[in-house]
Amino acid sequence: MPDSPLEQLLGRARGPMGPSIELDFGFDSGPLQELGALLGRMNGFFVFNAGVQVFRAGDEGLGPDLLSWNTDEVWKSTYEGLADHVFCFGQDLFGTQFAIVGGERVVAFNPETAETEDIGASLDDWAAWLLSDPDVNGVASFAHAFQQENGALAPDERLVPLRFFVAGGEYAFENLVVREAGEAMRIRGPIAKKIHEVPDGATLHLGVTE
């Protein structure tokens, strides 16, 4: 019997990023129950040349801690409520957040617009989505090429565009800078808020200053 998509993803993973842990979110089923079981098996990992990161849980380890990451203090306060409904368990190279909404749905949260894309009802659906196109959904080839030229990212680093993608910025090396992951999200929170406040048809100029 072939492995499930999540098993296939774990087979490609580099981890763990933290010591063994038992994690119970108080759900008997659904993606939060699955997340607890996943981190119990491998407490944080990277996949697709670090194009995708799943956060570890606990005080020790590499990269962001799952519970701290979902606090206002790290980055969510800059979104002023736009990110309160998403429980983020991982991210891609550009800071797109993989999250659980309402304990029932797995989504991709766009850090520049705070919009969500529904992926499925389980982590297996999420893994299948990633595996269906690793270069697009998992940023695999871009992550490999960028780090070959610029060096490996640290576990707590992600990329931020100088000209935001939502404003027409290119997925090109010269348009990207390395930032600490929390800072990368805090930079984009006010942008997402502005986008939500701008009426249809209005012009909004976006960018990041080095």
Side-chain angles (χ1 to χ4, degrees):
M1 184 175 179
D3 289 339
S4 69
L6 191 56
E7 289 292 335
Q8 294 176 46
L9 197 70
L10 278 174
R12 301 186 182 197
R14 178 170 62 87
M17 295 292 115
S20 297
I21 192 169
E22 292 185 8
L23 199 58
D24 184 355
F25 293 102
F27 285 75
D28 295 328
S29 61
L32 281 172
Q33 184 275 327
E34 295 164 355
L35 180 61
L38 176 65
L39 296 181
R41 294 181 59 187
M42 186 178 291
N43 188 14
F45 57 86
F46 287 95
V47 70
F48 302 140
N49 307 309
V52 170
Q53 175 184 40
V54 171
F55 303 132
R56 64 175 176 84
D59 295 332
E60 299 178 9
L62 301 174
D65 159 56
L66 173 72
L67 299 183
S68 297
W69 184 255
N70 283 281
T71 61
D72 285 345
E73 291 75 15
V74 174
W75 63 271
K76 282 193 172 184
S77 63
T78 63
Y79 284 78
E80 298 186 34
L82 296 177
D84 290 354
H85 64 298
V86 290
F87 184 76
C88 304
F89 64 87
Q91 60 185 341
D92 75 7
L93 184 71
F94 306 116
T96 295
Q97 299 294 301
F98 301 119
I100 297 168
V101 174
E104 297 179 347
R105 304 298 298 181
V106 181
V107 303
F109 175 87
N110 186 318
E112 295 183 7
T113 65
E115 295 176 346
T116 59
E117 174 190 352
D118 187 74
I119 294 175
S122 68
L123 293 190
D124 223 30
D125 290 342
W126 167 73
W129 176 80
L130 289 174
L131 291 165
S132 70
D133 197 338
D135 287 338
V136 173
N137 298 334
V139 204
S141 293
F142 193 99
H144 175 74
F146 183 91
Q147 292 174 98
Q148 281 287 104
E149 182 166 318
N150 299 281
L153 297 183
D156 61 349
E157 292 179 333
R158 298 282 88 179
L159 301 183
V160 179
L162 294 169
R163 182 177 182 183
F164 285 96
F165 302 133
V166 72
E170 296 182 355
Y171 289 85
F173 293 174
E174 59 269 21
N175 188 45
L176 295 161
V177 291
V178 178
R179 290 288 183 266
E180 186 273 327
E183 179 187 0
M185 295 299 292
R186 292 192 297 273
I187 287 170
R188 289 176 284 202
I191 301 301
K193 184 66 175 175
K194 285 182 179 180
I195 288 172
H196 273 257
E197 292 173 346
V198 170
D200 290 344
T203 300
L204 180 63
H205 298 283
L206 306 174
V208 174
T209 302
E210 283 242 50

